[in-house]
């Protein structure tokens, strides 16, 4: 007779959750690198290895956020044991994230109230709407939800056609809204910068939900399956991406082959981009299960309160950027950051990489202490509004 889910050894459940928290904490810390880069004025990518890889390592963040959000929804649904309650939670939390993106987070990025001039549909906006959409799928078996997610990821190009087949009067109304779903070449609403469309990210979140069924398996089987999936996805990326790089004609001023292989399309995220980032992320989960020591503890702390960290880290980085600018320039230059994350620093005033990484380390080190406090408060709570942050 098999034991019920609630009868499983506590160590097994804790080990599984810790692996997710460690990986999630790691991508939170990596994300902060990119956001310090934004305020440093250093452009994304670049021809030097230091600048290129400073940006590239942060590509793992958004895929891991969306994927593990789906996995977390599956695990939370098992705890609730009622799909209707889970769906209500996902819808409520999703709308809260959208509201936070349009208000608190936008203010943290810019430190101004010119909402009519500039609003960002960023990663939290995307995660919020994807949670709302996922709520409509949670009554289906996890395997079905995961299959739907993979289909959306690999067939995402079909989402550019629906508005194109509409008659012109209707297209002019639907087109601007559809640009939030997938780029179709329509004119988006003025004043809103769409950084993350919903496709393929709802597919990533749905795939993560289906992946949750793997994480409740017996530990050795779970680890083998994670390694198999993660390494297979990474190998598929290397084979397909490598063939494209070596079969595509190369201009005289093209970057090195390795840069061309790793420089995959993120907006919207292509299948190769997601294979490149999610493959290693999934393969690292078994290693994270065995992680111990102070560094694993730090990452676990960040991973337990990812939204709290997110809400704190942007204003903290913004303040750090203003202080650095004051020390270097003699004045704050708030105008450089008035439409962050799209910043406009003159080239001669951009930071170097050593200063970027020093500011990143200081900010992350400072944020550890409020995150540790909040993780403790959240662990002692019994549900309530703390579930949402």
């Amino acid at each position: 007779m098999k034991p019920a889910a609630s009868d499983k050894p506590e160590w097994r459940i804790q080990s599984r959750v810790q692996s997710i928290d460690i990986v999630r904490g790691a991508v939170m810390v990596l994300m902060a690198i990119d956001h310090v880069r934004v305020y440093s004025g250093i452009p994304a990518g670049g021809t030097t290895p230091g600048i290129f890889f400073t940006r590239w390592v942060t590509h793992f963040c958004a895929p891991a956020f969306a994927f593990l959000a789906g996995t977390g929804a599956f695990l939370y649904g098992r705890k609730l044991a009622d799909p209707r309650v889970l769906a209500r939670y996902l819808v409520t939390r999703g709308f809260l994230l959208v509201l936070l993106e349009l208000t608190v987070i936008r203010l943290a990025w810019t430190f101004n109230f010119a909402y009519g001039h500039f609003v960002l549909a960023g990663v939290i906006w995307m995660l919020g709407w994807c949670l709302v959409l996922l709520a409509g799928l949670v009554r289906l078996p996890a395997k079905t939800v995961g299959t739907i997610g993979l289909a959306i990821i690999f067939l995402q190009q079909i989402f550019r056609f629906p508005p194109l087949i509409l008659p012109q009067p209707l297209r002019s109304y639907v087109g601007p809204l559809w640009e939030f779903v997938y780029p179709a070449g329509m004119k988006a609403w003025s004043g809103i910068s769409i950084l993350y469309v919903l496709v393929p990210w709802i597919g990533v979140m749905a795939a993560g939900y289906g992946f949750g069924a793997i994480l409740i398996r017996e530990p050795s089987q779970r680890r083998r399956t994670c390694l198999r999936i993660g390494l297979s996805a990474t190998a598929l990326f290397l084979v397909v991406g490598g063939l494209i790089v070596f079969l595509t004609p190369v201009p005289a001023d093209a970057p090195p082959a390795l840069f061309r292989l790793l420089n995959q399309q993120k907006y919207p995220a292509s299948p190769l981009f997601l294979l490149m980032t999610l493959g290693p992320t999934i393969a690292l989960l078994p290693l994270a299960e065995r992680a111990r020591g102070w560094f694993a503890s730090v990452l676990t702390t960040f991973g337990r309160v990812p939204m709290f960290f997110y809400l704190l880290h942007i204003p903290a980085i913004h303040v750090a950027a203003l202080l650095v600018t004051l020390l270097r320039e003699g004045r704050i230059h708030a105008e450089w950051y008035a439409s962050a994350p799209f910043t406009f620093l003159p080239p001669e005033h951009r930071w170097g990489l050593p200063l970027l990484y020093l500011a990143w380390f200081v900010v992350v080190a400072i944020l550890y202490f409020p995150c540790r406090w909040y993780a403790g408060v959240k662990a002692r709570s019994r549900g309530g509004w703390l579930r949402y942050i």
Side-chain angles (χ1 to χ4, degrees):
M1 178 177 175
K2 293 184 179 180
S6 59
D7 296 329
K8 290 183 177 180
E10 188 66 21
W11 67 266
R12 184 181 299 179
I13 298 173
Q14 290 177 347
S15 176
R16 168 175 51 79
V17 172
Q18 176 180 299
S19 68
I20 296 175
D21 286 338
I22 288 177
V23 171
R24 188 159 47 198
V27 298
M28 300 302 293
V29 171
L30 288 176
M31 172 193 64
I33 296 175
D34 194 48
H35 293 164
V36 175
R37 179 198 59 78
V38 164
Y39 285 96
S40 75
I42 296 176
T47 56
T48 65
I51 295 177
F52 180 87
F53 285 105
T54 292
R55 170 61 170 168
W56 182 80
V57 295
T58 67
H59 284 334
F60 290 84
C61 301
F65 290 161
F67 189 82
L68 294 179
T71 303
F74 173 85
L75 298 175
Y76 190 56
R78 278 177 57 84
K79 179 180 177 181
L80 295 174
D82 188 338
R84 294 173 298 178
V85 177
L86 175 61
R88 286 197 298 269
Y89 167 77
L90 294 177
V91 169
T92 304
R93 189 162 193 262
F95 282 132
L96 175 62
L97 294 186
V98 171
L99 179 63
L100 287 173
E101 178 78 88
L102 297 178
T103 56
V104 176
I105 295 172
R106 191 268 179 205
L107 177 63
W109 277 116
T110 64
F111 282 2
N112 65 61
F113 293 94
Y115 289 92
H117 174 68
F118 171 74
V119 175
L120 179 69
V123 66
I124 302 301
W125 158 283
M126 173 271 289
L127 290 172
W129 283 114
C130 286
L131 287 174
V132 173
L133 295 174
L134 183 64
L137 299 175
V138 296
R139 288 180 173 83
L140 300 174
K143 184 177 180 180
T144 302
V145 177
T147 302
I148 292 172
L150 292 175
I152 292 173
I153 290 172
F154 289 103
L155 302 176
Q156 59 179 274
Q157 287 288 338
I158 66 175
F159 286 90
R160 67 180 303 173
F161 297 112
L164 300 178
I165 63 176
L166 296 174
Q168 184 54 45
L170 186 57
R171 186 188 306 176
S172 62
Y173 291 104
V174 175
L177 289 174
W178 196 260
E179 290 300 304
F180 291 102
V181 178
Y182 195 81
M186 303 293 174
K187 185 178 180 180
W189 283 349
S190 62
I192 299 181
S193 180
I194 303 173
L195 196 58
Y196 286 88
V197 290
L198 302 187
V199 173
W201 296 108
I202 177 56
V204 174
M205 189 175 289
Y209 185 92
F211 179 76
I214 294 172
L215 293 188
I216 62 175
R217 296 178 180 177
E218 185 272 332
S220 61
Q221 183 185 15
R222 177 174 70 240
R223 288 191 287 267
R224 286 195 303 270
T225 305
C226 287
L227 282 174
R228 189 179 303 119
I229 293 173
L231 295 178
S232 296
T234 304
L236 182 59
F237 158 72
L238 291 173
V239 171
V240 176
L243 286 174
I244 292 174
V245 166
F246 288 108
L247 295 179
T248 301
V250 182
D253 58 347
L258 177 62
F259 284 18
R260 300 200 307 275
L261 172 65
L262 299 180
N263 189 29
Q264 298 297 325
Q265 177 182 295
K266 183 179 180 180
Y267 304 107
S270 67
L272 280 177
F273 178 89
L274 294 172
L275 288 171
M276 176 183 72
T277 52
L278 287 176
T281 299
I282 294 170
L284 283 174
L285 283 171
L287 298 178
E289 282 193 17
R290 298 185 172 93
R292 298 293 184 271
W294 68 269
F295 188 61
S297 176
V298 168
L299 295 181
T300 300
T301 297
F302 288 137
R304 286 175 177 169
V305 291
M307 194 61 209
F308 184 75
F309 178 93
Y310 194 96
L311 291 174
L312 290 184
H313 91 287
I314 295 177
I317 291 171
H318 195 158
V319 169
L322 294 177
L323 291 175
V324 168
T325 304
L326 179 62
L327 292 173
R328 297 179 76 217
E329 311 291 338
R331 53 178 295 194
I332 289 179
H333 283 294
E335 72 278 6
W336 291 350
Y337 311 115
S339 57
F342 304 106
T343 55
F344 302 96
L345 275 70
E348 64 272 18
H349 296 287
R350 293 170 182 170
W351 304 3
L353 287 180
L355 180 56
L356 185 159
Y357 280 100
L358 175 62
W360 163 75
F361 178 81
V362 171
V363 168
V364 170
I366 291 173
L367 290 183
Y368 170 74
F369 297 99
C371 287
R372 184 178 65 178
W373 166 80
Y374 186 71
V377 171
K378 195 172 181 180
R380 293 189 297 270
S381 71
R382 299 293 181 182
W385 65 271
L386 293 181
R387 297 177 299 162
Y388 298 96
I389 300 296

